[in-house]
Amino acid sequence: MSGSTIIFYMLAALTLVSGVLAVTTRQIFRAAIFLLFSLIGIAGLYFWMQYDFVAAVQIVVYVGGITVLIIFSIFLTQQAGDLLPKPKIGRQIFSALAAFCGFSLTMLQLYQHKFIGTSEEPLLPTVSNIGDRMLGVEANGFALPFEVVSVLLLAAMIGCIVIALRSKPATT
Amino acid sequence: MMEPGLYHLLFISAALFFIGIFGFFTRRNLITMLMSIELVLNSVNLNFIAFNKYLWPNKMDGLFFSIFVIAIAAAEAAVAIAIIINLYRTHHSIDVESTEELKF
Amino acid sequence: MLNDFLILMKSELVIAFIIFLLLFIKVGTEMTNDRLLSLVQILLLANFIYSFFFIAEGDLFGGLFTTNTLMTFQKSILSLAVYLISLLFSDWLKKSEHMLEFFMLMLSAVLGMFFMISSGSLLMFFLALELSTIPVAAMANFDLEKKIASEASMKMILSSAFSSGILLFGISMIYGITGSINFAEIPALLDGSPLQILAFVFLFTAFAFKLSIVPFHLWTADVYEGAPVAVTSFLSVVSKGSIAFILLTTLYKTFAPMHEIWYNMVILLSIVTMIVGNLFALRQQNIKRFLAFSSIAQVGFILVGLSSNSIEGSSSVVYFVLIYVFSNLAAFGVAGAISQQTGKERIDDFKGLYQTNPFISWILALALFSLAGIPPTAGFFGKLFLITAGASKGNYLFITIAALNLIVSLYYYLRVIRSVFMDKNEQPIEIIYLNPSAKLGMIICGAGIVLVGLLSWVYDYITTLIM
Amino acid sequence: MENTYYIIMNDLLQFTILQVLPSGKSLGWALLLIPLLPLAGFLLLGIFGRKHIGNVSGVVGTTLLLASTALALYTAYGYFFDFGKVDGVYQKLVPLKYTWLQFSPGVSIDMGIILDPISVMMLVVVTFISLMVHIYSLGYMKGEERFPTYYAFLGLFTFSMLGLVMSSNIFQLYIFWELVGVSSFLLIGYYYDKPSAVAACKKAFIVTRFADLGFLIGILTLSFYAGTLDFGELIQRLTTTAAPEFRAITAASFMGVSALTWALVLVFIGGAGKSAMFPLHIWLPDAMEGPTPVSALIHAATMVVAGVFLVARLFPVFSMSAPALDVVMYVGITSALFAAVIACTQTDIKRVLAYSTMSQIGFMMFALGVSGNGGESGLGFTASMFHLFTHAMFKALLFLGAGSVIHFIHSNEMKDMGGLRKYLPITHITFLIACLAISGVPPFAGFFSKEEILLATYHHNVVIYYIALVTSGLTAFYMFRLYFRIFWNRGAIVHGEHHGEGGFVMMMPLVLLAVGAALAGFIHFGNFVSSDGKPLKSVFHLQFSIAPVALGLVGIAAATWLYMKQSNKSESIAKALNGFYKAAYHKFYIDELYLFVTKKIIFNLIGRPAAWFDKNVVNGLVNLTGDSTLGLSGRIKGFQSGKVQQYAIYFLAGVIGLAVLFIYIWHPL
Amino acid sequence: MNLTLLILLPLLTAVAILLMRNATQVKWTALIGSAAQFVFAFVLLFAFRNARAGGNEAQMLFELKYDWFPAWHIAFHLGVDGISVAMILLTSFVVIAGVLVSWNVTKMTKEFFFLLILLSMGAYGFFISLDLFILFFFLEIAVIPKYLLIGVWGSGKKEYAANKLALMLMGGSALVLVGMLGIYFGGTERTFDLMTLSQLHIPVAVQKICFPLLFVGFGVFTALFPFHTWVPDGHSSAPTAGSMFLAGISMKLGGYGCLRVATYIMPDGAKEYANIIIVLSTIAILYGAFATMMQKDLKYINAYSSVSHCGFVLLGIGMLTKTAMTGAVMQMVSHGLMTALFFAVIGMIYERTHTRQVNEMGGLLKVMPFITTVLFIVGLCSLGLPGLSGFVAEMTIFMGSWQNPDPFHRIATIAACMSIVVTAVYILRAIGKTAMGPLKAEFNNLDDAKWNEKLAAIILIGGIVAIGIAPFWLNDLVSPATEIIMKKLAAVHVGM
């Protein structure tokens, strides 16, 4: 029972519990906060696996970016403090059932499957390695996806601008 | 309590995945539905990282995949929120039940 | 290296170039929509024509990007479709104050599709898929004031996010099993174990979602009805076409080891899709929604052809998509022209259309006959080849069901024909003014519908590309 | 292109003269003209008559027919006295034969002309009577609106009848058989705006058509076994007991009856239909709706004897099957008696004549039935033909006479007549001659022919003989009843001023026919017509002919006693045998029976259900599929609920479902 | 002798019609075009006979073959034998007559004639194509013109009728399609070429599946019981020319297909299912006839009688004897001409009396002698009067049927024979009620046929009489072709 194990289970607990709360609580702000915790927990798991870079990205993008975005949008669309409408109980049960079936099926398959790993020596996820892979154009390089994502972000930006910022006559 | 490994992580990610899906099914507020989606994506990331660490550490495909997924998630979230805000303008509500004109 | 880069990625580069050109124009100049539109149309036409030159085969970026003649041809089909859209809906485009953004988004989506077609790895595929989805979701919202538009785009973005979540989970499992995200390496590592099947199902549903195969189709009709006609037609023609293409390569190449499984899955889904699509199309009143369901049924037929794991299969699918571009765009073009001027979208409003607008009535009739697969329109050949390819496995029951679905589909296409040509109407739709480019677009579509079938060398060309 | 021309010519006239006649000259074209001239008349008058020819069309038709009559007589002379007889036997000559429709090797419809005693005899009869009627109609039909059409139809009928008698091929005969039927249909329906006429023509056509069904199947059977349709070969093959065809057709049997008998009986049904034999006679009385000359031509002299002719034509084959002949005999005698009884009660003079026709044809039929083939035993055959010949004369005469009566009094009913002998002297005399002839009073024609028939019957079957005797007595009675009711019985009631007898064109035929009726009996018929072509010495026993003549005279006496003067004796007698009289008066309710069968059974039990079934079941099923499809599409619309979350749930359900299905259930690997 | 002319002529005519400016020009273009077809058909006939007389014994004459879709082994393969020539003649007759009788169509004249000519093109193409795919192509081309003709220019519950017709015919062709593919993939060689298919022996198992598909599929077109319900509605709601084309040409496509495709290339299947065919067709014959007796509407009368008459076609095919098959082809030609004429006459009467109910007419012989005479002729032809085409065809079928000595065939034949009596009943009933009887007052001043109607009637009567008087030419034309089919049938071992 080493310390790392304890940390692992704590992180796991944090992630799952706050995840569950994030999708069940009826106060939208708390939901956002629980989401935040859950994401942080995942980041922690990355750290625990010594994938520091990903963990950092996770923190920056999610915690710093998306969650803030979500909270702002909540400000825009929600009067503070009022509870979310209660979901239909029937729907809830059915969804739970479906989700559970899916979960059990997946877990069953995952556990039944014998994963065969590689035997080659590992390539450590150091920032330098990541960096030259990221910009590599030959095999195992990810320059092209990088470009594609950039285009995607551009497009998303344009879309957001058009949709969110209405032109004058529309607003009046 | 045994030494945590791949299967634990897979369990966590799968659990998170279906938690997110459950949220997507039940939440009536569009923004919270979006949050559930974020959970789903994160669970997938966790999967990738775990596989990368425990099975295929020789390359960094999983790692990069998760990074790009994060980027995509950001973009998606941005557009989704823009759309939701616009929808709020037109419908004066972001309750999913209030947007059911198009059916049958 | 650079040379290959320029040659092999030419289609993508051209599109990217156009996008940025438009971006600069947007921020730089104050041109009127008319002039801009004609400029864009010229650019797109050039792009289409250019796509037939400097055709080469090869890989780039260590296999992340791969292309060959067939892919190039598929890309040129998509370019053609985009060009036609820019022609057909010029009315709507001119009026909208976000025309350039529209084109930028659409083109970036097209770019995504191009990358998707020639993607060499699951990562590229996923990114391209998102690139081809998210902008469209934004485009669906371009009628900013319309409630249904925003509802449609909301439904689209949420469902696509959901489906991409599932897709990602599948990909992650495949990655875990094979340790590779490379299309080239994956087949060797597949053996059809249960987890692989699960992963495949997760993966496949993403295609199913985009291609709107039953039961993953439910977003389609709503989005089609809510979105502006231009976007609807883009969705139903271009993105469906691209997905059909990539599905071909994915199933035939990447998942070749599991083809018994996906064969059964495909015929099962195709039967369900045809039946459900037809049944829903039977009772639609809104023409866009009607076309949505009819296109679902069409997808069912695409699956029929797809099910035969053979050269005939892929050639007939590509051929059918080409025909489908012409037919569906013609139909949407007519619907768009009408709804643009009169705001009428119900089929009953089309009663007596022939009295006032013979030209577009004939175009509509041609399109619908082609969709229904009536000779001498090209649709006949397309459908027939799909079915023939599907029959090559000797699965008579399957083929009979498909053939019977032809009858049902004929019924509802004839419903439209009937209200256009036969039914009397006190106040029929007034005479529609078609601006020249729209007319040109319709004529091109009509010519395509007639000629692509009768001129057999088109099909031969496709076959040669594949072999 | 002259190649083409050659082909066409080849098709159109490749006549093959089979036999060069002894006299060296080919009769081909001359013979061909006999039927073709009337046909020409039909086409000419039918197409141009109404507009261009008009009232002269009668003359046109008559002249054409005159020509063909002349040709027919010339042919007859040539056949009987010149080339027909080869060493004492009259040959079957087929001077003309052309393959019209080849079914399968050997079996083909040939258009040909056959010359043998009966066909030549019929040629003469048909052309002569037809000519008489043509002439007579010039007067009788004058001023009719559709005068040209009338003559066109007469031409058509004559053509078909001539074709019928000259047929060398059983299917050819069938063809003309049908044509005769249709022309009779057209002529009965000549007064097309009279509903009764319309009904009558339909009835005539349909009843005969029904009979023809039997004929057709009979032909099919015969041809199947004989492997030919040509009369010559057919008879030759089915009468030589050694021939394989004969063995086949006698060996094959259905319900214990040999195929030969079946075929012949079926053929005979056709004949019975045309010749109005019991029970297929019901159309004949109604057929009297047609113009009277038409009745004289078609429904007395020529068409109605076609059945007799048919049996005679196939007689050698019939003689090979005793059962078939018995059927012929029994049907014949039944019809004879039955019709005679009814004739005694009818009041419409044309109907009386119609029934007497039926009765006389009955005589001919059973004469054939009792006959044997060849030699002395063939007496019945000769007698039948002889009676056919004489009957044509006096029955045509009777009808034409009745015609002039009707022409004069504008009514068919006896009650409007009486005492007309002053007004219609010629008609009166000729009519009397005819009555005497038909009653078998010597020395008129009827006497001789009927004599032979009775003789033949006596030798064959005594019962039949006595029935026949009674019948001939009845014949005499009802004929003279008719005669007295028309010309005597009471003072004539002639209202207003009247045009006298029709004048020359109407009287001339009467006189000519009267001469025929008076003298035809003295022809030595057996020398010319016999079952085997060899002359047949007709023996003549005076003591034998006492009984029939006596009976005839009794009948006449009775008629005289009852009807010469106006009285109510007849009514009292009618009352005396009340039920029977009523039954006879209503023709023994045969029509009603038919009506019941057709209306109630065919229409209500078959036709109506069929229509209903089609409308509701078959069609209903088609509609049902459509409606159910639509209904289904309505039922499943709930899927498209518009709730994006439900969509997602279906999505996930689909995923899980597919996964489970393909992992656990449907796993081909 | 280039057969593509047979497709090009109508095509050019159709295009020309589209270019015309006013109705008169359209009509005359259509007339000239159809006359050209008419002449061409005769030229073809004579050329065919010349070739035969010149000793050219090839099964198909004037063959030509271009590769069309080599990937699917589809070739544009044309050629004619006696049967095709007969059918082409029939089509040309009906087309020109149809154009003539629809001379005073005022509503959308251009479109009307355009569709009419298009329909004829489909028929010609169908009859001359020797490649299953092409055959199917032309078979389906005809569907939509029919639909529009009925739906736009029809009368009564036309939408329903048009839909029903289009869908049922589509269903038929769907079955044909499946059967076709079955042959394509099931045969020993992948080809759509009829001549090749007829040479290679398709496995019996495949035949057992594909023959019924093809036969029923084509049977729907030719009103095979119980798939005939489109016939009454379709015919009765169609405009005159439409009904003429439907009954005269379109129903023959089915018969031709049954003979040339189903029976010829799948003899085993034919032998296997012959008895079922016979039963169904016999039912159709009698049932159609009895159903006709109950009809009051002239068009329904003719429609149902068409069901009955087309039953003879299938019966002739099902009997599997050369004579019967020849008879079947003759019956197709004869019935085509006859029923076209019948519909033409009905149309003429309807234009004048504005009713098709027989009970509401009567005595029309007085006011319109020509038309009623034609009615008499066509009626007599329909009830099989010698000298007119119907008799020849039916007798040939009976003769051929009777060549099967076993009781089953005998009974079937006798049952079929009975229909000639029933036919007589309903035909005479119809004629008696319309043409004969007292004339109704309101019809007193109706006029007789116009020149175009007269011409149309005379052309068709010409055809009918030409067959009735001189059947030998048709027989010489057809029987060699049926002979070949029979040879193929005889080659395969009987009974399985």
Side-chain angles (χ1 to χ4, degrees), chain B residues 24 31 33 44-46 64 66 96:
Chain B
F24 188 81
I31 293 178
M33 284 170 76
V44 174
N45 285 350
L46 194 54
F64 275 103
S66 58
V96 68

Side-chain angles (χ1 to χ4, degrees), chain A residues 69-120:
Chain A
L69 192 61
I70 286 176
I71 293 178
F72 276 134
S73 57
I74 292 175
F75 276 130
L76 281 175
T77 58
Q78 210 77 6
Q79 281 66 29
D82 56 359
L83 293 182
L84 292 174
K86 206 167 185 43
K88 296 195 200 64
I89 185 69
R91 158 88 56 84
Q92 219 159 0
I93 291 166
F94 186 78
S95 320
L97 211 64
F100 180 73
C101 292
F103 175 69
S104 43
L105 178 69
T106 323
M107 286 323 290
L108 200 63
Q109 295 311 325
L110 282 172
Y111 278 118
Q112 281 175 352
H113 191 271
K114 291 276 146 289
F115 286 101
I116 41 101
T118 177
S119 52
E120 304 169 19

Side-chain angles (χ1 to χ4, degrees), chain D residues 148-168:
Chain D
T149 324
Y150 174 79
Y151 270 95
F153 289 165
L154 278 189
L156 175 61
F157 170 77
T158 318
F159 157 71
S160 334
M161 194 65 209
L162 290 169
L164 190 154
V165 298
M166 295 164 87
S167 302
S168 74

Side-chain angles (χ1 to χ4, degrees), chain D residues 9 99 352 477:
Chain D
M9 291 317 291
T99 305
V352 175
F477 171 75

Side-chain angles (χ1 to χ4, degrees), chain C residues 28-267:
Chain C
T29 68
E30 285 295 336
M31 278 207 256
T32 63
N33 269 1
D34 300 12
R35 311 228 338 257
L36 275 176
L37 181 58
S38 32
L39 170 67
V40 173
Q41 285 166 350
I42 291 162
L43 285 172
L44 292 176
L45 179 59
N47 166 42
F48 169 61
I49 293 166
Y50 175 67
S51 68
F52 285 100
F53 298 96
F54 307 116
I55 299 173
E57 308 206 348
D59 297 357
L60 281 176
F61 299 100
L64 284 183
F65 180 92
T66 162
T67 182
N68 60 30
T69 50
L70 177 63
M71 289 175 178
T72 324
F73 182 69
Q74 293 171 343
K75 289 171 188 172
S76 21
I77 292 178
L78 300 185
S79 324
L80 172 66
V82 174
Y83 171 60
L84 285 176
I85 289 175
S86 74
L87 287 179
L88 286 169
F89 305 104
S90 42
D91 265 347
W92 179 82
L93 289 166
K94 279 178 195 161
K95 292 212 176 43
S96 90
E97 74 262 30
H98 296 299
M99 186 185 82
L100 276 178
E101 291 87 340
F102 176 84
F103 275 115
M104 284 186 246
L105 292 183
M106 182 163 79
L107 288 175
S108 42
V110 172
L111 186 61
M113 290 158 191
F114 283 9
F115 275 121
M116 182 163 63
I117 288 174
S118 49
S119 62
S121 88
L122 281 167
L123 176 58
M124 275 305 293
F125 165 69
F126 171 70
L127 293 180
L129 188 70
E130 291 302 321
L131 178 53
S132 68
T133 312
I134 296 173
V136 181
M139 282 154 66
N141 207 351
F142 261 41
D143 285 344
L144 290 166
E145 286 70 24
K146 282 207 184 133
K147 289 181 76 173
I148 54 171
S150 47
E151 176 181 348
S153 57
M154 180 274 290
K155 280 179 175 168
M156 180 166 180
I157 190 77
L158 284 183
S159 343
S160 69
F162 181 80
S163 84
S164 49
I166 290 186
L167 165 68
L168 279 172
F169 201 78
I171 292 178
S172 71
M173 277 190 275
I174 286 185
Y175 169 66
I177 296 161
T178 63
S180 161
I181 54 173
N182 229 329
F183 284 149
E185 301 167 3
I186 290 173
L189 306 163
L190 289 178
D191 55 8
S193 72
L195 186 62
Q196 287 174 14
I197 296 174
L198 185 67
F200 172 70
V201 171
F202 276 45
L203 193 76
F204 185 83
T205 48
F207 292 99
F209 170 82
K210 293 284 289 180
L211 211 47
S212 61
I213 295 169
V214 178
F216 313 103
H217 69 293
L218 290 146
W219 61 281
T220 317
D222 299 0
V223 174
Y224 280 23
E225 185 178 355
V229 188
V231 181
T232 309
S233 55
F234 181 81
L235 268 172
S236 79
V237 173
V238 183
S239 56
K240 270 206 179 133
S242 59
I243 295 290
F245 295 147
I246 179 69
L247 187 58
L248 267 177
T249 42
T250 318
L251 290 185
Y252 284 15
K253 299 222 170 59
T254 316
F255 289 96
M258 301 169 67
H259 89 270
E260 288 87 353
I261 292 167
W262 65 251
Y263 173 74
N264 295 338
M265 198 181 296
V266 164
I267 63 169

Side-chain angles (χ1 to χ4, degrees), chain E residues 414-482:
Chain E
I414 293 174
C417 291
M418 281 177 189
S419 82
I420 66 176
V421 181
V422 188
T423 315
V425 173
Y426 62 72
I427 288 293
L428 292 187
R429 188 169 144 273
I431 292 180
K433 281 199 192 301
T434 49
M436 303 166 113
L439 177 67
K440 291 236 181 1
E442 64 265 34
F443 299 143
N444 259 333
N445 40 22
L446 296 177
D447 54 348
D448 205 356
K450 304 262 181 317
W451 67 270
N452 55 322
E453 297 168 326
K454 281 190 174 155
L455 188 53
I458 289 166
I459 287 173
L460 288 173
I461 292 175
I464 291 174
V465 173
I467 298 171
I469 299 287
F472 34 78
W473 67 267
L474 186 56
N475 192 25
D476 300 348
L477 198 61
V478 171
S479 50
T482 46

Side-chain angles (χ1 to χ4, degrees), chain D residues 116-135:
Chain D
D116 69 349
I118 52 174
S119 68
V120 175
M121 185 269 290
M122 287 303 287
L123 266 186
V124 175
V125 172
V126 172
T127 43
F128 178 65
I129 304 290
S130 176
L131 181 62
M132 291 301 114
V133 169
H134 271 76
I135 298 168

